[in-house]
Amino acid sequence: LRDNIDGICWPGHWSFLGGRVESGETPYEAITRELHEEAGLVLPDLRSLATLQQGNGRADIEVFTASWDGDAAGIPVTEGIMLAHFHPRILPRLRVPPWCVEAIRLDAATAPGR
């Protein structure tokens, strides 16, 4: 859950962990770094899912996916308010950026066995 403060993208919305690509980084290197910095996560099966339009005049976003079955509530987040798992069927009840909804649907459609 993102902080509800002015000046950040999608304040007060449920979104994904992530951040900006630093000079000299690839998007893969950036998400690997951001996952570790923001939540202490290392995800060996991390892979690119899609490049999506964020909307509102903001830059496109490269979205990655991976498997993880840990306790989201137990992760001490360094940015935002909290982490949580949600079943996709409750997306309409949550404040989620449209590009995140699109990414979740793409992941569900392309993941084997789901």
Side-chain angles (χ1 to χ4, degrees):
L1 179 59
R2 295 184 57 77
D3 292 308
N4 193 12
I5 56 176
D6 290 335
I8 66 170
C9 295
W10 302 101
H13 284 68
W14 287 98
S15 188
F16 304 132
L17 295 170
R20 296 191 188 275
V21 176
E22 293 181 356
S23 179
E25 276 185 326
T26 65
Y28 180 86
E29 291 167 336
I31 191 58
T32 300
R33 175 183 51 76
E34 290 284 355
L35 288 169
H36 189 263
E37 287 176 1
E38 293 182 13
L41 293 173
V42 175
L43 303 174
D45 67 338
L46 188 65
R47 61 201 177 280
S48 179
L49 176 66
T51 301
L52 302 174
Q53 293 181 349
Q54 186 176 185
N56 296 338
R58 297 182 176 119
D60 291 352
I61 294 179
E62 182 146 3
V63 178
F64 290 81
T65 186
S67 298
W68 185 72
D69 65 356
D71 177 16
I75 291 182
V77 294
T78 61
E79 291 184 24
I81 297 170
M82 72 177 81
L83 295 177
H85 289 282
F86 296 103
H87 193 282
R89 73 176 164 258
I90 70 164
L91 283 173
R93 298 183 204 157
L94 302 172
R95 289 183 73 196
V96 180
W99 66 269
C100 290
V101 174
E102 183 180 353
I104 292 165
R105 290 190 177 133
L106 278 171
D107 184 59
T110 60
R114 286 194 207 170

